[in-house]
Amino acid sequence: DAGVIQSPRHEVTEMGQEVTLRCKPISGHNSLFWYRQTMMRGLELLIYFNNNVPIDDSGMPEDRFSAKMPNASFSTLKIQPSEPRDSAVYFCASSLAGGLETQYFGPGTRLLVL
Amino acid sequence: AQSVTQPDIHITVSEGASLELRCNYSYGATPYLFWYVQSPGQGLQLLLKYFSGDTLVQGIKGFEAEFKRSQSSFNLRKPSVHWSDAAEYFCAVGSYGQNFVFGPGTRLSVLP
């Protein structure tokens, strides 16, 4: 299995632009998680899906952030408009069923908003 | 609210020395406990997890952790550290019906 795939691996954009991060979970996994990692705040859970349905989005910082999972093999995290404070590494992870099962992390997308 | 603390931000040990990374949690329900490791520039990987049963859990790469309910702790140990163990280590806690929470992480440096 290829593992969790994220794209792009690096993204540099200017403030105000729309940013879309993509994730392909491991085939057969029913849960998908989006995390943000910064030096100041550590690793934060933004949202997680179970069977393509958002279960908990309480970690989404504000309305500028949105996430979708149109099918079991694809998810997006969108930031519109982006701000410099959104600069971070964004990880996608998947598991068989929920956070209590082993989560398999992708390599992350390093986002820099200028 | 549930929380996880890792008191040590950064630890340095010599190769071959023993290692213990501390993790304390505050959780209302029966906790499920995890240790993940993050190598530089990579995502996290599960080292071990505890759900129930024997409180001493064996993981990958020679790591083990002990759950102590009375101390609300789940410390990670390794008897002899290798240079390749240099990484960031995250303790995490979850429970059915509760959010899954990661600790702030402990960065491990290994001296040759």
Side-chain angles (χ1 to χ4, degrees):
Chain A
D1 198 318
V4 176
I5 298 173
Q6 291 187 249
S7 64
R9 292 293 309 277
H10 302 271
E11 178 80 28
V12 180
T13 190
E14 292 186 346
M15 182 174 64
Q17 297 297 307
E18 177 180 295
V19 175
T20 299
L21 310 181
R22 297 172 176 80
C23 175
K24 176 179 170 55
I26 292 173
S27 176
H29 282 191
N30 294 320
S31 297
L32 182 140
F33 308 80
W34 281 102
Y35 291 92
R36 178 173 66 177
Q37 186 177 38
T38 61
M39 289 292 292
M40 292 298 296
R41 301 176 67 89
L43 194 63
E44 303 172 278
L45 175 65
L46 299 177
I47 185 171
Y48 92 87
F49 295 85
N50 204 36
N51 294 320
N52 312 338
V53 176
I55 301 301
D56 182 0
D57 64 355
S58 60
M60 296 287 265
E62 50 198 272
D63 292 345
R64 296 185 299 106
F65 285 69
S66 62
K68 294 182 179 180
M69 192 165 185
N71 57 63
S73 59
F74 184 66
S75 176
T76 60
L77 178 67
K78 186 175 294 187
I79 308 173
Q80 166 64 18
S82 59
E83 297 182 2
R85 59 191 168 123
D86 302 330
S87 298
V89 181
Y90 291 82
F91 288 102
C92 176
S94 70
S95 76
L96 282 172
L100 301 184
E101 295 288 338
T102 301
Q103 294 183 47
Y104 294 83
F105 282 74
T109 295
R110 187 174 296 274
L111 173 65
L112 178 61
V113 183
L114 301 174
Chain B
Q2 56 268 27
S3 66
V4 182
T5 57
Q6 294 180 245
D8 304 305
I9 296 174
H10 184 204
I11 285 182
T12 300
V13 300
S14 297
E15 191 169 21
S18 63
L19 171 71
E20 182 169 28
L21 302 182
R22 296 182 291 165
C23 172
N24 294 96
Y25 64 90
S26 173
Y27 228 75
T30 300
Y32 289 60
L33 299 155
F34 306 78
W35 275 98
Y36 281 83
V37 60
Q38 183 181 27
S39 297
Q42 298 186 23
L44 281 70
Q45 179 187 22
L46 181 71
L47 282 176
L48 48 80
K49 58 186 176 183
Y50 171 78
F51 283 3
S52 65
D54 192 346
T55 56
L56 185 63
V57 182
Q58 302 297 320
I60 62 171
K61 305 184 180 185
F63 285 91
E64 66 178 27
E66 186 172 12
F67 170 55
K68 293 185 177 180
R69 185 183 298 275
S70 61
Q71 298 178 19
S72 297
S73 69
F74 188 57
N75 294 348
L76 182 71
R77 300 194 293 250
K78 186 170 185 177
S80 177
V81 171
H82 188 262
W83 64 267
S84 60
D85 294 325
E88 185 112 20
Y89 292 79
F90 293 90
C91 181
V93 182
S95 181
Y96 284 110
Q98 302 284 337
N99 283 342
F100 186 83
V101 178
F102 278 93
T106 297
R107 185 161 63 92
L108 173 66
S109 297
V110 180
L111 299 175

